[in-house]
Amino acid sequence: MSTVLTIASGEIRLWRRTRVAVLAVSVFAIVLVVSCLLTALRISKAAEERSRQQAAAEETFLSQPERHPHRMVHYGHYAFRPPPPLAIVDPGVDAMTGQSIFLEGHRQNTAMFSDAHASADLGGLGSLTPALVYQFLLPLLLIVIGHAVMVREREARTLGPLLAQGVTGRQLYAGKSAALLGVAAVMLVPMLLMSAYGVLWGESFAASLGLFGIYVAYALVWCSAIVLVSTLGKARGVALGILASLWLTSTLVVPPLAVATADVAVPSEGKAQSDLRMQAEIRKLGDGHNAADPAFAKLRANLLALYDVEDVADLPINFRGVVAQSSEASLTELMNRYAEERMALELRQSSRAAIFGWLSPTMAVSSASRAVAGTDLGTHHRFMRETEALRFDFVQGLNRVHAQQLAYSDDIHRSRDPDAERRTRVSAENWQVLESFRFEPDPAGPRWRRASASVLPLLAWLGVFTVLGFASSGRVKP
Amino acid sequence: MKGVARELAFLLRDRGVLLFLVVALAASSVAVLLGVVEVAQQRATIAELLAADRAERQVVQAGQTDWGGAAYYTFHLTVDEPTNFAFAALGQRDVSPWKHRIRLLALEGQIYESDAGNPDFALIGRFDYAFVVSLLAPLLLILLLHDVRSSERAAGRYEWLSATSGRERSPWRMRSGLKVALLTGCLLFPLWIGGLASNSGAGVLASASLLTALHLLFWWGVCSLVDRCGWTSSVNLVAACGVWLLLAVIAPAAIQAAVDASIPLPDGGDIVLTQREAVNDAWDLPKEATMEPFVARHPEWEDHMEVTRPFEWKWYYAFQQVGDQKAEEISLAYRDGRQRRESLAGKLSWLSPPAWMERSLQRAARTDGRSALDYEDRVRQYHAELRAWYYPKLFPGLPFDQDRLAGVPEYSD
């Protein structure tokens, strides 16, 4: 054991002497700390801002004066998605999707005002978030520092004497790995702090620990790859070349290639397309604004029979409100079917792309990180579903008021008769049908389940590299 | 000339050099191919949408009985067709919408709807030619050039080679020059094939080629500066990669953060909230409250402003427009802010040659932020045309004529 420690501390002493290693570590540390601070500031400001906007939107809705309930259906409501605490590490797709959505009757809108749309675009890899720094720069740093751990002994012809002194290849491997892991551990400290901050901010302990664990696994994958290549390599240049190519492939080539192939393999359908495809079916449902639409003939007949009256004017309830209710229900059912189809398609695309995690640890860690941080596509979809449920509930609540509190005769004459119009306004108390909405992150369990498909390749890479490294270190020769 | 041929023969016998050139050729080919496929898919989507939209509009219009209802129920498709060079730089098209259906209601509530693709994909980014040439190509060049001198030094041939050549620098310069030229060729060849297949036009291809060459020349400069320091190959590689990291990753992100921070935007949500308040309040306000600000903007309808019944279409559309008018100031500030961010980013992009490269290609392909703003402006323009077409029917109360509905303005890109 003490041999291993001696080797490790010798390696670290060497790194402290070389300028390249010190410079690389300092640059990495600066970039990391700056990105952590900037992202944390930005995210906590956004979280505050959106919670405030959500509360303001609810207050405005509830404080509307008395009016016709259908006016309120079109007045609509806003839902906002505040970023989850762990977005300070990985803001994920939040910047791409937009965080507010307008909810109104008979329509499912898309989320609006994405940051990516409004912000300056300079190409590159996008904005520097802690997640990006860890995914892209940490392996590069480890490669710069560690590519020569074993190969240097060989080049300097010190490997022979070392082995002759009775140090085994395994001990060398363990010692060098321990030294590199030490560097990685120091670099992971900010991640640990960010995760801890997440817990303080209300994030579940399991998710925060999980996020930290994912990045630990990622760092381990690279450490094991580096020591393996360094053990097998005959010259420092070759080892560096191989590792640089691995990094290049894993971070820069595979992820966008995965996106492109997934997009070709599973063509997506935008909202405009599915909306248009849906139109023919919508027409069959009838227009809820028009109670005379033949589509509602059956509803009318049923109601007349139920209450045993001749004309809708004699019904104890407002037929127009009933039509609005029934048409909103069937329309929503239809729109949800198409929305679910679209979301399933997107998920299929993303999971197709995620298969490339088996080729690129970076691809794997990035999708696992988004899933655990609660900023992935799945969470966005849940936001869309929950806001849709919110929309449906308040619209139907208003339609119920429309059916129960408004006289049919006033309702049909309100466009021509100002007095009738006045009688179709209902008290503002009815606006209480609006449920208050706070978008909460998933519990840790479902997030883990979504991440598992991407964590698996990471663990597999780690296992393979470690086993290979361990095996080859047993046979190491000068 | 004989020297060139000899060096070329040397290079092509070097497995490492060949490998990187093949990688460059493959990356560029794949990028161009994927770009062409993506553009074809977008075109197909647009064609499909146009057909569906036309069919849908005919059905909707056939059921109409008054101008107001026709305007309310008819959606109009607007699209931003990809250019013939878009395959090389897909740019903002993953983030900003390029298809949009609008109707005559208040525009501010409609125009920010985003019908973009899979957000996961937008986050990761596209493997297009712009990506290959701005981010990957410098790395390949670094891999090719980092040891031009240092490898000879390590092999103990450096002094000998310097002494026997005519001029002191020429063997290194010729050798690196050849590598740069070969790499440029490997990158450009697929681009030209793609350009010819997509009918991009000679001008845009020539300027893209020039940009590519300039970008690689810059990185050649970086590599030779590093190589001249007399370090070992590994240190050279690390140092050059460090420069790449700084210029290609850290600088763009820093510029973006600085630009966004220095030009704050009004909150987008406030635009739509303002517009919604204005539109919905109008139902409860006296009709004059709507008609007066409307006439201020449209004096030509002054004689048709009388609204007698609780609901009239012309009043309805007037308050829709007044909703836009109320949100106009903040909406203009939002648009102006994005424009200023875009132009400031353009100015600062000189600090990062890869960012400058990528932006220039996106500009040439009309897929940059400015083009996205242009599309938004065209949608606004078209919406104004729709208003100009419907208003002379709504305000004087022209009798409805089904046949004239066919004359509603079409969006043209």
Side-chain angles (χ1 to χ4, degrees), chain A residues 20 31 49 53 60 64-65 67 71 74-78 92-93 96-97 102 107 109-113 116-128 137 140 144 147 236-237 240 247-248 252-253 255-257 259-260 262-264 270-273 275-276 279 283 287 289 346 349-350 353 363 370 377 414-418 421 425, chain B residues 30 34 37-38 41 45 48-49 52-53 56 59-60 72-73 75 92 95-97 99 101 103 112-115 118-127 131 135-136 139 234-235 237-238 244-245 248-250 252-253 255-256 259-260 265 267-269 272-273 276-277 280-281 283-284 309-311 334 338 341 345 349 355 358-359 362 376:
Chain A
V20 177
V31 173
E49 176 85 346
Q53 282 172 319
T60 339
Q64 289 305 302
R67 51 167 72 122
R71 292 281 78 82
H74 283 284
Y75 180 75
H77 181 46
Y78 278 88
V93 298
M96 304 293 148
T97 51
F102 181 52
R107 284 202 31 98
N109 294 314
T110 60
M112 290 189 280
F113 301 109
H117 183 50
S119 115
D121 179 42
L122 282 128
L125 299 172
S127 51
L128 275 189
L137 305 190
L140 202 56
V144 167
H147 69 275
R236 179 193 263 267
L240 186 57
W247 180 83
L248 192 77
L252 284 183
V253 176
L257 265 183
V259 161
D263 202 24
V264 172
K271 187 152 185 308
Q273 275 155 297
D275 276 358
L276 273 167
Q279 285 305 327
R283 256 191 302 279
D287 175 8
H289 290 132
E346 281 186 356
Q349 279 190 325
S350 292
M363 184 87 197
R370 286 198 295 277
L377 186 63
R414 87 195 126 95
S415 291
R416 256 158 281 154
D417 177 357
E421 201 271 345
R425 290 168 186 247
Chain B
V30 169
L34 289 171
V37 170
E38 174 64 26
Q41 262 181 10
T45 301
E48 209 177 288
L49 275 175
D53 178 66
E56 167 66 21
V59 176
V60 169
Y72 184 87
Y73 289 105
F75 280 89
Q92 291 278 306
V95 182
S96 299
K99 48 196 194 290
R101 292 170 76 223
R103 51 180 170 163
Y112 304 107
E113 285 280 301
S114 62
D115 182 12
N118 190 327
D120 262 355
F121 292 2
L123 185 70
I124 294 170
R126 288 279 173 178
F127 196 81
F131 173 80
L135 285 182
L136 282 186
L139 283 172
S234 302
V235 178
L237 182 60
V238 169
W244 175 85
L245 196 66
V249 180
I250 296 176
I255 296 172
Q256 184 189 327
V259 168
D260 287 356
L265 286 186
D267 192 86
V272 273
L273 283 172
R276 170 184 77 161
E277 296 302 318
N280 283 282
D281 286 351
W283 289 97
D284 299 321
R309 288 185 301 176
F311 182 86
Y334 183 71
R338 280 186 297 157
R341 279 184 175 183
S349 70
E358 191 157 354
R359 286 180 59 92
Q362 288 178 4
E376 198 179 302

Side-chain angles (χ1 to χ4, degrees), chain A residues 242-295:
Chain A
I242 293 174
L243 288 168
S245 316
L246 272 182
W247 180 83
L248 192 77
T249 321
S250 170
T251 57
L252 284 183
V253 176
V254 172
L257 265 183
V259 161
T261 51
D263 202 24
V264 172
V266 188
S268 60
E269 188 187 58
K271 187 152 185 308
Q273 275 155 297
S274 61
D275 276 358
L276 273 167
R277 270 201 305 126
M278 200 166 62
Q279 285 305 327
E281 288 192 57
I282 286 186
R283 256 191 302 279
K284 273 184 231 142
L285 295 179
D287 175 8
H289 290 132
N290 177 10
D293 196 311

Side-chain angles (χ1 to χ4, degrees), chain B residues 12 57 61 85 93 102 114 144 158 172 183 185 188 199 204 207 215 220 275-276 291 304 311 319 340 398:
Chain B
L12 294 181
R57 199 145 23 116
Q61 287 179 337
F85 188 62
R93 291 179 77 85
I102 54 160
S114 62
L144 278 172
Y158 182 79
W172 324 117
L183 182 69
L188 286 181
N199 220 354
V204 73
S207 62
H215 189 230
W220 183 10
Q275 180 264 147
R276 170 184 77 161
M291 296 326 244
H304 304 280
F311 182 86
F319 74 63
R340 276 167 49 217
L398 239 55

Side-chain angles (χ1 to χ4, degrees), chain B residues 25 28 179-192 216:
Chain B
L25 186 67
S28 178
K179 285 181 175 177
V180 175
L182 285 172
L183 182 69
T184 315
C186 289
L187 291 171
L188 286 181
F189 183 63
L191 180 76
W192 290 336
L216 290 178

